[in-house]
Amino acid sequence: RSSSVDINRQKLEGALMRIGISVCSAFPEGDPKTSVRHMIERVRAARGADLDSLFVGDHHVTSRPYFQNSPILGRLLAEWNNKPAGALYLLPLWNPVLLAEQIGTLASIMQGRFILQCSLGGEKKQSEGMGVDFSKRVGMFEESLRLIKALLAGERVSSEDYWAISDAKISPVPDTKVEFWIGSQANVAINRAARLADGWLATPSIGIDEAAKQLNVYKQSCAEYDRQPTAISIRRDIYIGSTSQEAEVFKQNYIDKGYRGFAPEALLAGSVNQVAEEFAKFEALGYTDIVVRNISSEQSEAVATIERLSEVKSQLGG
C-alpha cells in the first residue's frame, strides 16, 4: 500500500481499524428523560459490542431538543469503560478557558484518554445566536486551539485577539495527554488539520471516492509538515439490518427523504457482511478509525445496529 506519505500503520495506535460511535444527541419533541435514557442504552450497547471510542456532538440554538455535550458526556461515561471518549466542540462558539476547564473535569471523571474533536462550525445562524462573528471563525478557531492546548498542559495563557484573557490557568489538568482531531472537508481546512492536530476527521457526507481524494490531500499535507498522525478517521452514518434486503429497503426510504442532504453513497446500510466489506475498503485506503452514527432514530433499530457492530469487528479481525 503506497501513498504520498508513508504512514506506518504499526506506529498508529493499534494495527487494526478501530470502530467508534458518535451517539446522537438530537431528539424529537417529547419527554427529554426518555431521550436521555435512549442515549444511555446506546452507550451500554456500544460497550457490550466492545467499540473502540465514544463521542457526542456539538450544536447550539436548536429548534428541537439537543443535549449539550459536556454534561451529557459526563453522564454517559458512567456506562463506558477505559477506552477513549470525547466530544466534538465547535471552537469559535466556546470561551477557551471554560472549555479547557470542562475537558479537565471530564478527563478526571473518565478512565480512558480524552479525544477532542473540533471544527469551525459552518452555520451562520448558530454563530449569530451565540454572539459570535461568523466571519472571524477561522482566526478564532486557531487561537482557541492554541490556548486550549496550553491550558490542558498546565500552562498560563493570555490573549487579546478574540477574548480578553489575562494570565489564566486551569485545574485539574488531564493526567493523560488529550488527543486533538480536526474535522474538515475543504483542502485548506484539511491542510490546517495536518498542521495543528494529532488526527483528522473526514466529513460524513461523502462517498468513498471523495473520501479517497480528501485522504490524499491530508497525506500530502502531513508530508509538508512532517507530521505522523495518531488517527485518520471518518464518520459513517449506518444501519445494519438482519438481511441485505431489509437494509436496502431501509436505505432507499431514507434516500427518498433526502437524509441530511448526504450523497446516497455516503449512507452505509447493509447486512453485517456488507458493512464489514465497506469498512474494509476504508481501511485499505488508509483510514484507521470509523466513527459510526445511527441513521435510524427508532431505538430498537439503533440498538440492534450497535450490537451487530461486534460481528463487524470480528469479521475485520478485531
Side-chain angles (χ1 to χ4, degrees), residues 188-208:
V188 64
I190 294 172
N191 183 275
R192 184 187 303 121
R195 174 167 57 90
L196 298 176
D198 302 301
W200 172 55
L201 177 63
T203 182
S205 60
I206 56 174
I208 193 163

Side-chain angles (χ1 to χ4, degrees), residues 31-49:
D31 177 14
K33 294 189 186 312
T34 298
S35 299
V36 169
R37 178 171 55 80
H38 286 174
M39 294 183 73
I40 291 168
E41 289 172 356
R42 295 180 193 188
V43 173
R44 288 174 180 163
R47 177 173 179 168

